[in-house]
Amino acid sequence: MAILIKKAIIVNSKGMSKEPQDILIEKGVIAKIGKISDPDAKIIEANGKYLLPGLIDLHCHLREPGQEHKETIETGCRSAAKGGFTSVVCMPNTNPVIDNAKVVEGILKEVKRVGLVHVFPAGAITKGQKGEELSDMMELKEAGCLVLSDDGKSVQNSQLMRHALEYAKMAELLLMEHCEDATVSKGVINEGFYSTLLGLKGIPDIAETIIVARDIELARYLKTKIHFCHISSRRSIDLIRQAKAQGVQVTAEACPHYFSLTEAAVQDFDTNTKVNPPLRSKEDVEAIKLALKDGTLDCISTDHAPHASEEKELEFDAAPSGMIGFETALGLAVRELVEPKHITWSTLVEKMSMAPASILGLVNKGEIAEGKDADIVLVDPDKEWIFEKDHIVSKSKNSPFAGETLKGFIELTMCNGKVVYQA
Amino acid sequence: MIGWKYGDLLELSDLSREDIESVLETAKAFKEVSTRDIKKVPALRGKTVVMLFSEPSTRTRLSFELAAKRLSADTLNVTVSSSSLQKGETLLDMAKNIEAMNVDMIIVRHKSAGVPQILARELKPGVINAGDGCRSHPTQALLDLFTIQERLGRIDGLKVGIIGDILHSRVARSNIYGLIKMGAKVTLCGPSTLIPPEIERQGVDITYKLDEVVADADVLMCLRLQKERQEEKYLPSIREYVKVFGLTKEKIKNAKPDVLIMHPGPVNRGIELSAELADGANSVILEQVTNGVAVRMAILYLLFGKKEKVS
């Protein structure tokens, strides 16, 4: 049955509709936009609320296979849908690692069974993410991977990374680098005033920038693309800005926690604030906001990283890094970026839908237009809401934002023309 | 004690100058108790104090235990594995179990910074930090302040040099706060690799020249150098460390004649401090140990005096 969304303000990356529009959805596709009446269609009244193309997350952890106590594909997809995401890229640090076609096929089969949002598994760059031998990239491509990453660590060996970039270019796969020089990053929080004050081992920004700089040089030399995951520091942004100006094909993402929190948040030893890369200084936060505005950072990803409560209820040193992010991403982005008029709603759509779609090469996503996939999210832009721990649908609850007031309330998420979440 | 408002002692920076003065004043009275023939007062009779230590410690544990016993409290020692992860038991589980046995105070030492905070947040009994990771060791700093005050009659206006591995030292961190709060001027001296970043923002001066800090110091505080720092590539060699930063009679020949030499112990004789200096007339190392008991009695007394937890 066709669905007709009545009177929605359409927000695309190029701009917003001046008047509320009606949107007819048929067979999973946006069939028509305008002033429409269709007596046979199921009506959804938007009442002037914002209709955005479904959000696309380039970086999340669904934990299945192997760590189903943290998250499953089903709970993860449900959480994504609640957060307005209709496509997500899940990282390969599962058990077994996503480094061969069998694992990819297993995930895609479960995604299909769950039938909520699109999931694009990232294959590992190296077998077992060990940083020793390249994965069978052509096989991963054939199985359905669009991107590769050894997320959780960088490919430390520069020669291996060079070959990975060369081979991935042939396989038409994008490499997404988690930038971290393991020899410099033996800590748990940002190195600086707070690591000194709290007596916790520091991770300096150079742990990130050394790999950013190396990879920019590799991409320049090899004339190929590279994508940087979850950029956290001002210096990395400077390097990326310069590389872009020189024509190096680099793209990069920010995560909501890196523009919503500073390192000061770790003061109370709440292990939900432990994340890798670590929360950084106020200057870094400002640089990230500016880089989102000026385009140095192309998109916003969540790095949704669920961990069970018993895993997080440990000493700060011993607790695993990461926080969940699907259900807070839009609310934080609106509160921190749109509400203070730092960026517009259209730019937000660019960062959370259009740019990730184009980075993945998904030509039918990222925009609300006739003929595009009916992956959409309906948002009440002005509604403030409290992010309650009890209402989290992810299997894990590890968020430092519990109890906070966020802005921009997701009323409905539709994927492939099917309602997958309704508030 | 009027005005004492804390049920926990988590880090020294929770205390104001007046609070610190209260502790030092109270400790003075308790020092006298330890010199009596019968070294016991009934202040904490019927109270149970648990010492939860995840790191080997002889003197701090002994000092706390004596302090509690001299106040007539019952004491228990629990040694836990360095990470609760190893037992498959979360930190919180362990703490809740101890709480369930109706203890009144938990004295905790842990290799991970922040553990006393985490426990205090979740538990009803009071929590005393007996050293957490590289972060904080409030009772050590208080006993150091007590020793300086007793010996030199004041802290305000004194020049104190802290020498050695500042990066890994919880003693240094707590002392920096306490000394500055009490009006002293603090200079840090050590190898550049062992000075933590942005520590100058806490109001200290930094020098890499031992001569400079020795020259006008009223107090020189040496820190223990762990031999592992060489393997961890912070230092070229222990030999070079001793040569450049090890305190010897020769190196303090230009110091004030009555400069106090302090050390939190245990001393690596011949590394950060020569045996001659450790045992010499300027050394107050054993007085620090004696005063430790009095200061910890004062802390226990004050914390128990406050009925409800604040943290």
Side-chain angles (χ1 to χ4, degrees), chain A residues 193 196 198 268 310 315 317, chain B residues 90 110 112 121 135 173 197:
Chain A
F193 178 75
T196 293
L198 301 176
D268 297 330
E310 66 271 19
E315 302 86 335
D317 289 333
Chain B
T90 71
H110 204 284
S112 289
R121 197 157 59 208
R135 172 165 169 265
R173 281 179 177 76

Side-chain angles (χ1 to χ4, degrees), chain A residues 302-317:
Chain A
T302 66
D303 199 0
H304 176 83
H307 292 294
S309 62
E310 66 271 19
E311 295 167 320
K312 275 287 192 181
E313 279 172 7
L314 291 178
E315 302 86 335
F316 201 91
D317 289 333

Side-chain angles (χ1 to χ4, degrees), chain A residues 190 232-235 280-288:
Chain A
N190 187 37
S232 68
S233 75
R234 181 179 59 172
R235 273 296 298 161
R280 302 224 187 249
S281 70
K282 215 187 291 175
E283 291 73 30
D284 294 304
V285 168
E286 290 311 312
I288 288 168

Side-chain angles (χ1 to χ4, degrees), chain B residues 179-251:
Chain B
L179 286 163
I180 291 174
K181 201 76 191 166
M182 299 304 286
K185 188 175 175 307
V186 178
T187 304
L188 307 179
C189 179
S192 51
T193 46
L194 294 174
I195 304 281
E198 301 190 45
I199 191 132
E200 60 277 13
R201 280 177 62 189
Q202 295 179 26
V204 296
D205 288 332
I206 295 167
T207 178
Y208 305 121
K209 297 197 172 77
L210 191 63
D211 289 354
E212 286 182 5
V213 68
V214 164
D216 62 350
D218 300 291
V219 178
L220 291 171
M221 225 176 244
C222 292
L223 301 173
R224 183 179 165 84
L225 184 83
Q226 304 283 358
K227 295 189 175 118
E228 301 87 74
R229 301 303 171 226
Q230 181 181 335
E231 293 143 43
E232 292 162 358
K233 325 257 186 287
Y234 287 103
L235 297 172
S237 67
I238 299 297
R239 182 175 158 271
E240 176 159 293
Y241 181 87
V242 173
K243 221 168 143 186
V244 182
F245 297 102
L247 220 55
T248 60
K249 193 133 202 182
E250 172 63 19
K251 290 209 196 97

